[in-house]
Amino acid sequence: MPSDITIGRPRLDRLVFGVKWGASMIQIMGYTATGFGWTPWNLYLFLIGVLGWFAVGALWNDKALMLVHLVALGAMIAGMISAPPS
């Protein structure tokens, strides 16, 4: 029934709203950390932000959003693994 589907929608919308704004704020903190040279904290913040936006893509069933953040996650992890220890 269509009415059964709409019952869970506001709760999902609130979840997505919280995750996308939380992930956005964390990524902004990552940019700030990069600007101040706070490594590796900037990378950790970016990882959390990218995972958050990937989750938003999954909740929205948006394959483009998921792909972009999955590739970003893979590139970040590959870079972190191959970087020499500081």
Side-chain angles (χ1 to χ4, degrees):
M1 280 179 110
S3 63
D4 294 338
I5 295 170
T6 58
I7 291 172
R9 185 74 184 166
R11 187 170 283 161
L12 179 63
D13 289 344
R14 280 190 297 219
L15 174 65
V16 170
F17 180 85
V19 172
K20 73 179 182 176
W21 279 102
S24 293
M25 295 308 292
I26 290 170
Q27 283 192 306
I28 290 169
M29 291 167 57
Y31 293 123
T32 303
T34 299
F36 284 101
W38 297 338
T39 53
W41 290 103
N42 61 335
L43 294 174
Y44 302 144
L45 291 166
F46 281 130
L47 283 173
I48 295 167
V50 164
L51 286 171
W53 271 103
F54 177 82
V56 170
L59 290 167
W60 278 347
N61 197 26
D62 186 329
K63 291 178 178 45
L65 196 55
M66 292 186 322
L67 176 64
V68 165
H69 290 91
L70 190 62
V71 170
L73 180 65
M76 290 175 68
I77 291 172
M80 290 171 76
I81 290 171
S82 67
S86 49

